[in-house]
Amino acid sequence: MDVKVGFVQTSPMLGEVEKNVESALLLASSKEADLLVFPELFNTGYLFLSKDDLAKVAEPIPNGPTTERLMKFASEHSVSVVAGIAERDGRAFYNSAVIISSDGDYMGKYRKLHLFSTEKLVFEPGNLGLQVFDLGKIRVGVMICFDWIFPEVARVLSLKGAHLIAHPANLVLPYAQTAMLARSIENRVFTITANRIGCEERGGKKLCFTGKSQITSPDMKVLTRASEDLMEVGVVSIDPREAENKNITELNNLWEDRRPKEYYILTR
Ligand code: ACM
């Protein structure tokens, strides 16, 4: 069964929500796909200096303009979407991802569990757990950016039945693209890292984002990888059933060979 999955690598301008969303969707509409993953905070940009700063652009999910626009896009193009959005819920802010089906239905949201650096000053850590969404042709687990450095995240999503891990990102360290290859082979799943490009400079701080969005396979191949400095869409055809085979050799199965009693320290 062929499923076309892809990333949309964007270059958002801080605070320019409508422009960011429309330019990302224009780019996204250049290729046909069954599933597209957009970067972390793709609608707002990244470098918020305070909660007041973030409050100007954060939106409720699902009843906010970006989610509603993505739902329309998804139904018009028959494409499922995973996209990173700054979420406001009452007085709390979350670094979230919204999940939308190819009919344009809201499926749910994920709130980033592991906040990176000064994100801790403006966002609350996620409180919705790790979830896998059945998008018809494929089961998709969702994590956001810095979650990559905790292998437990991809493990839990894979044990919950994900064929593919959607990974909206705003990466600034140089490690994740390589580490995601390990996440793929150690769980035998596909991954899509949708990263952004460009730099943001504010409050004496400058961050440059590393691009190189990519799709990896259960046998640890890079199926496609973007440049580090262009806005791009990358789409490949995959067979999700490949991720259901957890055999590494004739005598080794990733799930059956685990020794969970020896791992109890992981949950302390
Ligand atoms: C990150 O989690 N945005 C590095």
Side-chain angles (χ1 to χ4, degrees):
M1 185 188 23
D2 258 10
V3 183
K4 286 187 189 155
V5 300
F7 56 75
V8 185
Q9 176 165 292
T10 62
S11 183
M13 286 173 293
L14 193 72
E16 302 282 348
V17 173
E18 211 179 311
K19 278 190 197 151
N20 293 337
V21 172
E22 290 312 317
S23 75
L25 294 184
L26 185 64
L27 187 62
S29 56
S30 66
K31 287 213 179 141
E32 208 178 288
D34 298 301
L35 167 70
L36 285 174
V37 183
F38 293 72
E40 177 183 19
L41 300 172
F42 93 101
N43 61 333
T44 59
Y46 184 78
L47 199 46
F48 297 104
L49 298 179
S50 66
K51 289 192 185 191
D52 285 346
D53 197 21
L54 176 57
K56 294 181 196 132
V57 289
E59 304 176 12
I61 297 175
N63 300 311
T66 301
T67 305
E68 285 166 2
R69 181 69 183 93
L70 288 171
M71 288 162 71
K72 184 162 175 278
F73 177 85
S75 78
E76 281 170 1
H77 293 263
S78 297
V79 60
S80 302
V81 167
V82 177
I85 294 180
E87 181 189 3
R88 174 166 50 79
D89 182 1
R91 294 158 69 90
F93 301 102
Y94 298 94
N95 185 338
S96 296
V98 66
I99 297 89
I100 296 166
S101 77
S102 58
D103 295 326
D105 293 331
Y106 170 73
M107 302 293 286
K109 61 188 165 190
Y110 166 66
R111 290 171 167 166
K112 185 176 185 177
L113 285 180
H114 302 97
L115 298 172
F116 178 69
S117 186
T118 54
E119 287 174 30
K120 291 185 175 186
L121 306 180
V122 293
F123 292 110
E124 303 301 316
N127 56 6
L128 298 177
L130 292 165
Q131 303 165 71
V132 174
F133 298 87
D134 189 342
L135 297 177
K137 294 179 175 169
I138 189 164
R139 291 191 301 270
V140 176
V142 181
M143 63 187 216
I144 298 178
C145 207
F146 195 52
D147 284 331
W148 71 265
I149 209 165
F150 302 91
E152 296 87 350
V153 173
R155 184 61 132 203
V156 168
L157 292 171
S158 304
L159 284 168
K160 286 187 172 182
H163 296 117
L164 180 146
I165 294 175
H167 180 217
N170 275 192
L171 293 161
V172 292
L173 302 177
Y175 314 119
Q177 287 88 343
T178 307
M180 289 306 287
L181 283 164
R183 299 295 96 83
S184 269
I185 187 62
E186 68 203 6
N187 297 296
R188 282 202 49 91
V189 290
F190 294 93
T191 75
I192 301 182
T193 297
N195 196 17
R196 61 163 288 182
I197 59 166
C199 295
E200 288 183 13
E201 192 165 9
R202 295 183 85 198
K205 213 173 159 186
K206 182 171 181 185
L207 290 178
C208 290
F209 302 92
T210 58
K212 297 187 205 163
S213 297
Q214 66 180 20
I215 304 175
T216 67
S217 69
D219 57 351
M220 207 178 163
K221 292 197 176 70
V222 178
L223 300 178
T224 187
R225 182 178 276 162
S227 67
E228 56 186 41
D229 56 2
L230 294 175
M231 292 172 65
E232 283 178 55
V233 188
V235 174
V236 298
S237 283
I238 63 166
D239 183 347
R241 287 173 303 190
E242 270 182 52
E244 290 172 9
N245 173 8
K246 301 298 180 189
N247 293 329
I248 297 291
T249 72
E250 269 178 32
L251 295 178
N252 293 103
N253 179 280
L254 274 183
W255 286 178
E256 287 162 18
D257 285 6
R258 286 177 308 132
R259 305 286 304 277
K261 285 200 185 102
E262 306 298 333
Y263 310 152
Y264 72 96
I265 196 170
L266 289 177
T267 54
R268 283 199 314 192

